[in-house]
């Protein structure tokens, strides 16, 4: 199932890239492969998958809209830590990372 999700994510990105530049998906794939963007997408999938899980958890736990939850995740210090390879946080499960995010949100509302 995970491989199918990665493939779906990559093909979606190829399609968006192609559409953005008015080129075929074939040409978009060739360009992205040539400049090693396909490898980047494969590597970055873990981060995006974690961001998806955190967004869904915020929507459920905090009763946020999708846009509010996405804003919260992507504008957080926690997300910057997830993107930093040195922290290794993107390898952790969503429940574990959600605790970091909750702590950050609590500090922001108290401070």
């Amino acid at each position: 199932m995970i491989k199918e999700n990665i493939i779906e994510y990559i093909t979606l990105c190829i399609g968006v890239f192609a559409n953005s530049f008015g080129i075929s998906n074939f040409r978009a794939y060739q360009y992205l492969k040539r400049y090693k963007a396909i490898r980047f997408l494969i590597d970055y999938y873990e981060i995006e998958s974690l961001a998806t899980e955190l967004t869904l958890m915020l929507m459920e736990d905090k009763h946020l809209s999708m846009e509010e939850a996405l804003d919260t995740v992507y504008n957080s210090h926690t997300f910057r830590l997830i993107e930093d390879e040195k922290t290794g946080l993107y390898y952790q499960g969503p429940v574990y990372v959600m605790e970091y995010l909750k702590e950050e949100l609590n500090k922001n509302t108290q401070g």
Side-chain angles (χ1 to χ4, degrees):
M1 178 68 165
I2 292 197
K3 285 186 182 184
E4 289 89 359
N5 291 343
I6 294 172
I7 293 167
E8 186 176 323
Y9 167 72
I10 291 170
T11 56
L12 174 70
C13 290
I14 292 167
V16 169
F17 184 83
N19 194 31
S20 295
F21 291 97
I23 60 177
S24 70
N25 283 10
F26 171 77
R27 288 194 59 213
Y29 175 78
Q30 294 301 317
Y31 181 90
L32 294 170
K33 183 167 176 65
R34 178 178 181 192
Y35 292 100
K36 301 191 183 349
I38 299 297
R39 171 79 326 211
F40 171 81
L41 290 172
I42 292 168
D43 294 342
Y44 204 75
Y45 177 78
E46 292 295 326
I47 293 170
E48 290 305 319
S49 180
L50 184 54
T52 299
E53 290 295 324
L54 293 173
T55 301
L56 291 170
M57 291 168 81
L58 280 174
M59 289 171 63
E60 186 175 317
D61 294 349
K62 303 283 187 188
H63 307 289
L64 299 178
S65 70
M66 184 185 303
E67 188 173 341
E68 291 170 327
L70 285 166
D71 283 347
T72 301
V73 170
Y74 282 97
N75 290 317
S76 69
H77 178 69
T78 301
F79 188 73
R80 288 190 291 280
L81 292 174
I82 292 168
E83 288 188 303
D84 184 351
E85 279 185 25
K86 292 178 226 141
T87 69
L89 196 56
Y90 67 95
Y91 281 122
Q92 301 301 321
V95 174
Y96 180 81
V97 177
M98 186 62 163
E99 291 305 313
Y100 273 87
L101 185 54
K102 284 181 180 177
E103 186 175 317
E104 176 184 345
L105 297 174
N106 287 337
K107 284 181 184 177
N108 289 344
T109 58
Q110 294 171 358

